[in-house]
Amino acid sequence: MGIDLGTANTLVYVSSKGIVLEEPSVVAIERKTEYPRAFGKEAKLLLGRSPENIEALRPLKDGVIADFDATEAMIHEFVKRAFEGNPLVHPRMVIGIPSGVTKLERRAVIEAATNAGAREVNLIEEPIAAAIGAGLPVTEATGNMIIDIGGGTTEIAVIALGGIVCDKSVKIAGDVFTNDIIYYMRTQHNLFVGESTAEKIKIQIGAAVEDLETPPEDMSVQGRDLLTGKPKQVEVSHREIAKALDKSIQRIEDAIMETLSQTPPELAADIYNTGIYLAGGGSMLRGLDKRISLKTDLPVYIAEDPLRAVVRGTGMALKNINRFKSILIK
Ligand code: ADP
Ligand code: MG
């Protein structure tokens, strides 16, 4: 079993079946008893609109394990679902974790997976899993750069010989983009929108540059008027969203430039030839690949099916566990 334990989404791969589960990393907890009531999509629906007695939370929100118990309950539930409740299955697991996760947190993930029935737990750093999932030859001497833009963090890594040579993790990714949109709507349109609406805007008309070859149609957005308190609707264009996201994208660009400047020259020469690979949901922001390419003067490619690159990588590591042994953390 391969698991991508992401800050926004958890995906599970089972070697005989492929990807069997894709759920938001959200747990809804009963406040009084702290009993988990719902997981995944069902819990995400409650984010921002949960009744008083229930709290919907994201246990991994900022790329660290913010809530151990909820993380454990979530892993348990998703593993159970992946095996359709069959308690006799004790899989070997490869779990992708953000590279910023501490030793203590790693141990917590291993413990949670063991409690969920794992016979053997191997951890893999997400940038490496993403690179494997993107089809990059990570165990070769050639340097490759992968940028995984998820919900909580953007992880930039140069990989060679199966290891991370230099990397940088910044807490600017999908969640920050969503918050940028909330802020923009409030300050430019006097419109108060919630997180789910802002995320919809981002996915439907989000852009990293104002000039797009095939721009999306303007979007009608509903929310609450900050002045009158009444529900209202405004039309929003991708150009506005590009403006709203500009500063955050600049900070990602800065982190990329910094990582490039720390890359050993031989590997930099490799990257000049191989280019940069993007993965994670944030990489689907319109025009982001072009913008990074302009900034770095390098070719930029988006991994096929970028939301699933990490889980695909964990699955491939699982299938070739001997070849990838040195990469995995026990
Ligand atoms: P994580 O690995 O942290 O769980 P993911 O790689 O699953 O994150 O990406 C989730 C993020 O990608 C969310 O912030 C989501 O809003 C964003 N996202 C998903 N689809 C798109 C899209 N088409 N355009 C821009 N952002 C997107
Ligand atoms: Mg991820």
Side-chain angles (χ1 to χ4, degrees), residues 124-187:
I124 184 167
E125 288 176 296
E126 273 175 349
I128 299 186
I132 296 173
L136 300 178
V138 295
T139 50
E140 283 169 26
T142 319
N144 284 286
M145 179 177 258
I146 181 102
I147 304 175
D148 181 357
I149 307 172
T153 58
T154 292
E155 312 232 357
I156 305 156
V158 175
I159 295 168
L161 292 168
I164 294 178
V165 179
C166 49
D167 68 333
K168 204 161 170 55
S169 171
V170 287
K171 290 195 166 137
I172 312 253
D175 294 338
V176 170
F177 296 160
T178 299
N179 282 326
D180 288 341
I181 293 172
I182 294 177
Y183 180 78
Y184 179 90
M185 296 306 291
R186 197 170 66 212
T187 50

Short mmCIF file of all heavy atoms in Angstrom, two decimals, residues 124-187:
data_model
loop_
_atom_site.label_atom_id
_atom_site.label_comp_id
_atom_site.label_asym_id
_atom_site.label_seq_id
_atom_site.Cartn_x
_atom_site.Cartn_y
_atom_site.Cartn_z
N ILE A 124 8.83 7.89 2.73
CA ILE A 124 9.59 8.44 1.60
C ILE A 124 9.33 9.95 1.58
O ILE A 124 8.20 10.40 1.81
CB ILE A 124 9.18 7.76 0.27
CG1 ILE A 124 10.03 8.27 -0.89
CG2 ILE A 124 7.70 7.96 -0.04
CD1 ILE A 124 9.89 7.43 -2.17
N GLU A 125 10.39 10.71 1.36
CA GLU A 125 10.20 12.16 1.31
C GLU A 125 9.41 12.51 0.06
O GLU A 125 9.69 12.02 -1.03
CB GLU A 125 11.55 12.86 1.33
CG GLU A 125 12.18 12.77 2.71
CD GLU A 125 13.56 13.37 2.75
OE1 GLU A 125 14.44 12.83 2.06
OE2 GLU A 125 13.74 14.37 3.45
N GLU A 126 8.41 13.37 0.25
CA GLU A 126 7.48 13.63 -0.85
C GLU A 126 8.13 14.13 -2.15
O GLU A 126 7.72 13.71 -3.22
CB GLU A 126 6.37 14.57 -0.39
CG GLU A 126 5.26 13.74 0.22
CD GLU A 126 4.14 14.55 0.82
OE1 GLU A 126 4.28 15.76 0.96
OE2 GLU A 126 3.12 13.93 1.15
N PRO A 127 9.13 15.02 -2.07
CA PRO A 127 9.72 15.45 -3.35
C PRO A 127 10.28 14.28 -4.15
O PRO A 127 10.18 14.25 -5.37
CB PRO A 127 10.84 16.40 -2.91
CG PRO A 127 10.43 16.88 -1.57
CD PRO A 127 9.70 15.74 -0.93
N ILE A 128 10.85 13.29 -3.44
CA ILE A 128 11.40 12.13 -4.15
C ILE A 128 10.27 11.29 -4.73
O ILE A 128 10.32 10.87 -5.89
CB ILE A 128 12.30 11.28 -3.21
CG1 ILE A 128 13.47 12.14 -2.73
CG2 ILE A 128 12.79 10.03 -3.92
CD1 ILE A 128 14.50 11.39 -1.92
N ALA A 129 9.21 11.11 -3.93
CA ALA A 129 8.06 10.36 -4.44
C ALA A 129 7.45 11.07 -5.65
O ALA A 129 7.11 10.44 -6.65
CB ALA A 129 7.02 10.19 -3.34
N ALA A 130 7.36 12.39 -5.55
CA ALA A 130 6.79 13.16 -6.67
C ALA A 130 7.66 12.99 -7.92
O ALA A 130 7.15 12.84 -9.03
CB ALA A 130 6.68 14.64 -6.29
N ALA A 131 8.98 13.01 -7.72
CA ALA A 131 9.89 12.88 -8.86
C ALA A 131 9.76 11.49 -9.49
O ALA A 131 9.71 11.36 -10.72
CB ALA A 131 11.33 13.13 -8.42
N ILE A 132 9.67 10.46 -8.65
CA ILE A 132 9.48 9.10 -9.18
C ILE A 132 8.16 9.05 -9.95
O ILE A 132 8.08 8.54 -11.06
CB ILE A 132 9.48 8.05 -8.04
CG1 ILE A 132 10.85 8.02 -7.34
CG2 ILE A 132 9.14 6.66 -8.59
CD1 ILE A 132 10.88 7.12 -6.10
N GLY A 133 7.11 9.63 -9.34
CA GLY A 133 5.79 9.63 -9.97
C GLY A 133 5.76 10.43 -11.26
O GLY A 133 4.95 10.16 -12.15
N ALA A 134 6.65 11.42 -11.36
CA ALA A 134 6.72 12.21 -12.59
C ALA A 134 7.58 11.53 -13.65
O ALA A 134 7.77 12.06 -14.74
CB ALA A 134 7.28 13.61 -12.28
N GLY A 135 8.11 10.36 -13.29
CA GLY A 135 8.89 9.59 -14.26
C GLY A 135 10.34 10.00 -14.35
O GLY A 135 11.03 9.66 -15.32
N LEU A 136 10.85 10.74 -13.35
CA LEU A 136 12.24 11.17 -13.40
C LEU A 136 13.17 10.06 -12.91
O LEU A 136 12.81 9.30 -12.00
CB LEU A 136 12.44 12.42 -12.54
CG LEU A 136 11.59 13.63 -12.97
CD1 LEU A 136 11.80 14.80 -12.04
CD2 LEU A 136 11.95 14.02 -14.39
N PRO A 137 14.37 9.97 -13.49
CA PRO A 137 15.30 8.90 -13.11
C PRO A 137 16.04 9.25 -11.82
O PRO A 137 17.22 9.58 -11.83
CB PRO A 137 16.26 8.86 -14.31
CG PRO A 137 16.25 10.25 -14.85
CD PRO A 137 14.91 10.84 -14.55
N VAL A 138 15.35 9.16 -10.70
CA VAL A 138 15.89 9.70 -9.44
C VAL A 138 17.14 8.99 -8.94
O VAL A 138 17.93 9.58 -8.20
CB VAL A 138 14.84 9.68 -8.30
CG1 VAL A 138 13.68 10.59 -8.61
CG2 VAL A 138 14.36 8.28 -8.03
N THR A 139 17.31 7.73 -9.31
CA THR A 139 18.48 7.01 -8.77
C THR A 139 19.74 7.23 -9.61
O THR A 139 20.82 6.81 -9.21
CB THR A 139 18.19 5.49 -8.67
OG1 THR A 139 17.69 5.07 -9.93
CG2 THR A 139 17.15 5.19 -7.59
N GLU A 140 19.59 7.91 -10.75
CA GLU A 140 20.77 8.16 -11.57
C GLU A 140 21.56 9.36 -11.08
O GLU A 140 21.08 10.13 -10.26
CB GLU A 140 20.34 8.36 -13.04
CG GLU A 140 20.03 7.03 -13.70
CD GLU A 140 19.36 7.19 -15.05
OE1 GLU A 140 19.57 8.24 -15.70
OE2 GLU A 140 18.63 6.27 -15.43
N ALA A 141 22.76 9.52 -11.60
CA ALA A 141 23.64 10.60 -11.14
C ALA A 141 23.18 11.98 -11.63
O ALA A 141 23.52 13.00 -11.04
CB ALA A 141 25.07 10.34 -11.61
N THR A 142 22.39 12.00 -12.69
CA THR A 142 21.90 13.26 -13.25
C THR A 142 21.01 14.01 -12.26
O THR A 142 20.18 13.40 -11.60
CB THR A 142 21.05 12.99 -14.50
OG1 THR A 142 21.67 11.97 -15.26
CG2 THR A 142 20.87 14.24 -15.33
N GLY A 143 21.20 15.33 -12.16
CA GLY A 143 20.38 16.13 -11.28
C GLY A 143 19.03 16.47 -11.90
O GLY A 143 18.94 16.71 -13.11
N ASN A 144 17.99 16.42 -11.10
CA ASN A 144 16.65 16.81 -11.55
C ASN A 144 16.03 17.74 -10.52
O ASN A 144 16.21 17.53 -9.33
CB ASN A 144 15.76 15.58 -11.67
CG ASN A 144 16.06 14.76 -12.91
OD1 ASN A 144 15.71 15.17 -14.02
ND2 ASN A 144 16.73 13.64 -12.74
N MET A 145 15.29 18.72 -11.02
CA MET A 145 14.60 19.60 -10.07
C MET A 145 13.09 19.33 -10.13
O MET A 145 12.50 19.31 -11.20
CB MET A 145 14.86 21.07 -10.36
CG MET A 145 14.11 21.98 -9.37
SD MET A 145 14.44 23.72 -9.60
CE MET A 145 15.59 24.02 -8.27
N ILE A 146 12.52 19.14 -8.94
CA ILE A 146 11.07 18.94 -8.86
C ILE A 146 10.49 19.98 -7.90
O ILE A 146 11.09 20.27 -6.87
CB ILE A 146 10.72 17.50 -8.42
CG1 ILE A 146 9.20 17.27 -8.36
CG2 ILE A 146 11.34 17.15 -7.08
CD1 ILE A 146 8.64 16.52 -9.50
N ILE A 147 9.36 20.55 -8.27
CA ILE A 147 8.69 21.51 -7.39
C ILE A 147 7.28 20.98 -7.16
O ILE A 147 6.51 20.83 -8.11
CB ILE A 147 8.64 22.90 -8.02
CG1 ILE A 147 10.06 23.37 -8.37
CG2 ILE A 147 7.96 23.90 -7.08
CD1 ILE A 147 10.10 24.70 -9.11
N ASP A 148 6.97 20.69 -5.91
CA ASP A 148 5.66 20.15 -5.57
C ASP A 148 4.86 21.23 -4.85
O ASP A 148 5.17 21.59 -3.72
CB ASP A 148 5.85 18.90 -4.69
CG ASP A 148 4.52 18.25 -4.31
OD1 ASP A 148 3.45 18.78 -4.67
OD2 ASP A 148 4.56 17.20 -3.65
N ILE A 149 3.86 21.75 -5.52
CA ILE A 149 3.06 22.83 -4.93
C ILE A 149 1.76 22.22 -4.41
O ILE A 149 0.84 21.92 -5.19
CB ILE A 149 2.78 23.94 -5.97
CG1 ILE A 149 4.11 24.39 -6.59
CG2 ILE A 149 2.06 25.11 -5.32
CD1 ILE A 149 3.96 25.34 -7.77
N GLY A 150 1.69 22.00 -3.12
CA GLY A 150 0.53 21.35 -2.54
C GLY A 150 -0.42 22.35 -1.91
O GLY A 150 -0.59 23.47 -2.41
N GLY A 151 -1.07 21.93 -0.82
CA GLY A 151 -1.97 22.83 -0.11
C GLY A 151 -1.21 23.71 0.86
O GLY A 151 -1.28 24.93 0.81
N GLY A 152 -0.44 23.08 1.77
CA GLY A 152 0.25 23.82 2.81
C GLY A 152 1.64 24.28 2.44
O GLY A 152 2.09 25.34 2.88
N THR A 153 2.36 23.49 1.66
CA THR A 153 3.74 23.86 1.36
C THR A 153 4.09 23.66 -0.11
O THR A 153 3.49 22.85 -0.81
CB THR A 153 4.75 23.00 2.17
OG1 THR A 153 4.51 21.63 1.86
CG2 THR A 153 4.61 23.21 3.66
N THR A 154 5.09 24.45 -0.52
CA THR A 154 5.73 24.23 -1.80
C THR A 154 7.10 23.66 -1.51
O THR A 154 7.86 24.26 -0.75
CB THR A 154 5.86 25.54 -2.58
OG1 THR A 154 4.55 25.98 -2.96
CG2 THR A 154 6.70 25.37 -3.84
N GLU A 155 7.39 22.50 -2.04
CA GLU A 155 8.68 21.86 -1.79
C GLU A 155 9.48 21.88 -3.09
O GLU A 155 9.03 21.37 -4.11
CB GLU A 155 8.48 20.42 -1.33
CG GLU A 155 7.45 20.30 -0.24
CD GLU A 155 7.96 19.53 0.96
OE1 GLU A 155 9.10 19.04 0.93
OE2 GLU A 155 7.19 19.45 1.94
N ILE A 156 10.65 22.51 -2.98
CA ILE A 156 11.52 22.61 -4.14
C ILE A 156 12.72 21.73 -3.85
O ILE A 156 13.34 21.88 -2.79
CB ILE A 156 11.97 24.06 -4.34
CG1 ILE A 156 10.75 24.97 -4.44
CG2 ILE A 156 12.87 24.20 -5.56
CD1 ILE A 156 11.03 26.40 -4.06
N ALA A 157 13.05 20.81 -4.74
CA ALA A 157 14.15 19.91 -4.43
C ALA A 157 14.95 19.56 -5.67
O ALA A 157 14.41 19.41 -6.76
CB ALA A 157 13.62 18.63 -3.79
N VAL A 158 16.26 19.48 -5.48
CA VAL A 158 17.14 18.95 -6.52
C VAL A 158 17.54 17.55 -6.07
O VAL A 158 18.00 17.36 -4.95
CB VAL A 158 18.38 19.83 -6.72
CG1 VAL A 158 19.33 19.18 -7.72
CG2 VAL A 158 17.97 21.22 -7.18
N ILE A 159 17.27 16.59 -6.95
CA ILE A 159 17.47 15.18 -6.60
C ILE A 159 18.52 14.56 -7.51
O ILE A 159 18.52 14.80 -8.72
CB ILE A 159 16.12 14.42 -6.75
CG1 ILE A 159 15.12 14.98 -5.74
CG2 ILE A 159 16.31 12.92 -6.54
CD1 ILE A 159 13.71 14.53 -5.99
N ALA A 160 19.43 13.81 -6.92
CA ALA A 160 20.39 13.02 -7.69
C ALA A 160 20.78 11.81 -6.87
O ALA A 160 20.80 11.87 -5.64
CB ALA A 160 21.63 13.86 -8.02
N LEU A 161 21.09 10.71 -7.55
CA LEU A 161 21.49 9.47 -6.87
C LEU A 161 20.54 9.08 -5.73
O LEU A 161 20.98 8.64 -4.67
CB LEU A 161 22.93 9.59 -6.37
CG LEU A 161 23.98 9.66 -7.48
CD1 LEU A 161 25.34 10.06 -6.92
CD2 LEU A 161 24.08 8.32 -8.20
N GLY A 162 19.26 9.30 -5.95
CA GLY A 162 18.26 8.86 -4.98
C GLY A 162 18.13 9.71 -3.74
O GLY A 162 17.40 9.37 -2.82
N GLY A 163 18.84 10.82 -3.70
CA GLY A 163 18.75 11.66 -2.50
C GLY A 163 18.45 13.11 -2.85
O GLY A 163 18.56 13.52 -4.01
N ILE A 164 18.05 13.87 -1.84
CA ILE A 164 17.82 15.29 -2.04
C ILE A 164 19.15 16.02 -1.85
O ILE A 164 19.77 15.93 -0.79
CB ILE A 164 16.76 15.81 -1.05
CG1 ILE A 164 15.40 15.16 -1.37
CG2 ILE A 164 16.66 17.33 -1.12
CD1 ILE A 164 14.28 15.56 -0.44
N VAL A 165 19.63 16.70 -2.88
CA VAL A 165 20.92 17.38 -2.81
C VAL A 165 20.75 18.75 -2.17
O VAL A 165 21.50 19.16 -1.30
CB VAL A 165 21.56 17.52 -4.20
CG1 VAL A 165 22.88 18.25 -4.10
CG2 VAL A 165 21.73 16.15 -4.84
N CYS A 166 19.75 19.48 -2.63
CA CYS A 166 19.41 20.71 -1.92
C CYS A 166 17.92 20.93 -2.06
O CYS A 166 17.31 20.53 -3.06
CB CYS A 166 20.21 21.91 -2.40
SG CYS A 166 20.24 22.13 -4.15
N ASP A 167 17.32 21.53 -1.07
CA ASP A 167 15.88 21.72 -1.13
C ASP A 167 15.48 22.92 -0.30
O ASP A 167 16.25 23.45 0.50
CB ASP A 167 15.14 20.47 -0.67
CG ASP A 167 15.31 20.20 0.82
OD1 ASP A 167 16.33 20.61 1.39
OD2 ASP A 167 14.41 19.57 1.40
N LYS A 168 14.26 23.30 -0.53
CA LYS A 168 13.69 24.41 0.20
C LYS A 168 12.19 24.16 0.30
O LYS A 168 11.57 23.74 -0.67
CB LYS A 168 13.97 25.70 -0.58
CG LYS A 168 13.95 26.90 0.29
CD LYS A 168 14.65 28.09 -0.35
CE LYS A 168 14.40 29.32 0.47
NZ LYS A 168 14.78 29.20 1.88
N SER A 169 11.65 24.38 1.48
CA SER A 169 10.22 24.21 1.66
C SER A 169 9.66 25.55 2.14
O SER A 169 10.15 26.11 3.11
CB SER A 169 9.98 23.10 2.68
OG SER A 169 8.62 23.06 3.03
N VAL A 170 8.69 26.07 1.41
CA VAL A 170 8.09 27.34 1.85
C VAL A 170 6.60 27.13 2.09
O VAL A 170 5.95 26.33 1.42
CB VAL A 170 8.29 28.49 0.82
CG1 VAL A 170 9.72 28.96 0.82
CG2 VAL A 170 7.87 28.07 -0.58
N LYS A 171 6.09 27.86 3.06
CA LYS A 171 4.68 27.67 3.42
C LYS A 171 3.78 28.55 2.57
O LYS A 171 2.84 29.17 3.05
CB LYS A 171 4.49 27.95 4.91
CG LYS A 171 5.15 26.87 5.72
CD LYS A 171 4.75 26.84 7.15
CE LYS A 171 5.21 25.53 7.73
NZ LYS A 171 5.80 25.53 9.01
N ILE A 172 4.11 28.63 1.28
CA ILE A 172 3.27 29.36 0.34
C ILE A 172 2.83 28.35 -0.69
O ILE A 172 3.66 27.84 -1.45
CB ILE A 172 4.07 30.47 -0.38
CG1 ILE A 172 4.85 31.28 0.63
CG2 ILE A 172 3.15 31.28 -1.27
CD1 ILE A 172 4.35 32.61 0.91
N ALA A 173 1.55 28.03 -0.70
CA ALA A 173 1.04 27.06 -1.67
C ALA A 173 -0.46 27.29 -1.81
O ALA A 173 -0.94 28.42 -1.57
CB ALA A 173 1.38 25.65 -1.21
N GLY A 174 -1.19 26.25 -2.15
CA GLY A 174 -2.62 26.38 -2.44
C GLY A 174 -3.43 27.11 -1.37
O GLY A 174 -4.28 27.95 -1.70
N ASP A 175 -3.17 26.82 -0.10
CA ASP A 175 -3.95 27.46 0.97
C ASP A 175 -3.73 28.97 0.98
O ASP A 175 -4.67 29.74 1.21
CB ASP A 175 -3.55 26.93 2.35
CG ASP A 175 -3.91 25.46 2.52
OD1 ASP A 175 -4.80 24.99 1.79
OD2 ASP A 175 -3.29 24.81 3.38
N VAL A 176 -2.48 29.37 0.78
CA VAL A 176 -2.18 30.80 0.77
C VAL A 176 -2.84 31.46 -0.45
O VAL A 176 -3.42 32.55 -0.34
CB VAL A 176 -0.65 31.05 0.78
CG1 VAL A 176 -0.33 32.51 0.54
CG2 VAL A 176 -0.06 30.60 2.12
N PHE A 177 -2.81 30.78 -1.60
CA PHE A 177 -3.49 31.33 -2.79
C PHE A 177 -4.97 31.56 -2.46
O PHE A 177 -5.55 32.59 -2.80
CB PHE A 177 -3.40 30.37 -3.98
CG PHE A 177 -2.00 30.12 -4.49
CD1 PHE A 177 -1.72 29.00 -5.26
CD2 PHE A 177 -0.96 31.00 -4.21
CE1 PHE A 177 -0.44 28.76 -5.74
CE2 PHE A 177 0.32 30.77 -4.69
CZ PHE A 177 0.58 29.63 -5.46
N THR A 178 -5.57 30.56 -1.81
CA THR A 178 -6.99 30.67 -1.46
C THR A 178 -7.23 31.87 -0.53
O THR A 178 -8.16 32.66 -0.74
CB THR A 178 -7.46 29.37 -0.77
OG1 THR A 178 -7.28 28.29 -1.70
CG2 THR A 178 -8.93 29.43 -0.39
N ASN A 179 -6.34 32.03 0.45
CA ASN A 179 -6.49 33.18 1.36
C ASN A 179 -6.25 34.51 0.65
O ASN A 179 -6.89 35.50 0.98
CB ASN A 179 -5.53 33.04 2.55
CG ASN A 179 -6.08 32.05 3.56
OD1 ASN A 179 -7.28 31.94 3.75
ND2 ASN A 179 -5.20 31.30 4.18
N ASP A 180 -5.33 34.52 -0.32
CA ASP A 180 -5.10 35.73 -1.12
C ASP A 180 -6.39 36.14 -1.82
O ASP A 180 -6.70 37.33 -1.94
CB ASP A 180 -4.05 35.48 -2.20
CG ASP A 180 -2.63 35.36 -1.63
OD1 ASP A 180 -2.40 35.81 -0.50
OD2 ASP A 180 -1.77 34.80 -2.35
N ILE A 181 -7.13 35.14 -2.30
CA ILE A 181 -8.38 35.43 -3.02
C ILE A 181 -9.44 35.96 -2.05
O ILE A 181 -10.14 36.93 -2.37
CB ILE A 181 -8.87 34.16 -3.78
CG1 ILE A 181 -7.87 33.84 -4.89
CG2 ILE A 181 -10.28 34.39 -4.34
CD1 ILE A 181 -8.13 32.52 -5.61
N ILE A 182 -9.50 35.38 -0.85
CA ILE A 182 -10.45 35.87 0.16
C ILE A 182 -10.15 37.35 0.45
O ILE A 182 -11.05 38.20 0.46
CB ILE A 182 -10.35 35.04 1.46
CG1 ILE A 182 -10.82 33.61 1.20
CG2 ILE A 182 -11.17 35.69 2.59
CD1 ILE A 182 -10.69 32.67 2.39
N TYR A 183 -8.86 37.65 0.63
CA TYR A 183 -8.44 39.00 0.95
C TYR A 183 -8.75 39.97 -0.20
O TYR A 183 -9.26 41.07 0.00
CB TYR A 183 -6.93 39.01 1.26
CG TYR A 183 -6.39 40.37 1.60
CD1 TYR A 183 -6.58 40.91 2.86
CD2 TYR A 183 -5.69 41.12 0.65
CE1 TYR A 183 -6.09 42.16 3.18
CE2 TYR A 183 -5.21 42.38 0.96
CZ TYR A 183 -5.41 42.90 2.22
OH TYR A 183 -4.94 44.14 2.52
N TYR A 184 -8.47 39.50 -1.42
CA TYR A 184 -8.72 40.34 -2.60
C TYR A 184 -10.21 40.67 -2.73
O TYR A 184 -10.59 41.82 -2.97
CB TYR A 184 -8.23 39.63 -3.87
CG TYR A 184 -8.47 40.43 -5.13
CD1 TYR A 184 -7.53 41.34 -5.60
CD2 TYR A 184 -9.66 40.28 -5.84
CE1 TYR A 184 -7.77 42.08 -6.74
CE2 TYR A 184 -9.91 41.02 -6.98
CZ TYR A 184 -8.96 41.92 -7.42
OH TYR A 184 -9.20 42.65 -8.54
N MET A 185 -11.06 39.66 -2.56
CA MET A 185 -12.50 39.87 -2.71
C MET A 185 -13.00 40.85 -1.65
O MET A 185 -13.88 41.67 -1.91
CB MET A 185 -13.26 38.54 -2.58
CG MET A 185 -12.96 37.53 -3.67
SD MET A 185 -13.19 38.16 -5.34
CE MET A 185 -14.97 38.33 -5.36
N ARG A 186 -12.40 40.74 -0.46
CA ARG A 186 -12.84 41.61 0.62
C ARG A 186 -12.42 43.05 0.37
O ARG A 186 -13.19 43.98 0.51
CB ARG A 186 -12.24 41.10 1.94
CG ARG A 186 -12.91 41.65 3.16
CD ARG A 186 -12.45 40.94 4.41
NE ARG A 186 -11.04 41.20 4.66
CZ ARG A 186 -10.22 40.33 5.24
NH1 ARG A 186 -10.66 39.15 5.61
NH2 ARG A 186 -8.97 40.65 5.44
N THR A 187 -11.16 43.22 -0.06
CA THR A 187 -10.66 44.59 -0.19
C THR A 187 -11.07 45.24 -1.51
O THR A 187 -11.26 46.45 -1.56
CB THR A 187 -9.12 44.61 -0.07
OG1 THR A 187 -8.58 43.63 -0.96
CG2 THR A 187 -8.69 44.29 1.35
#
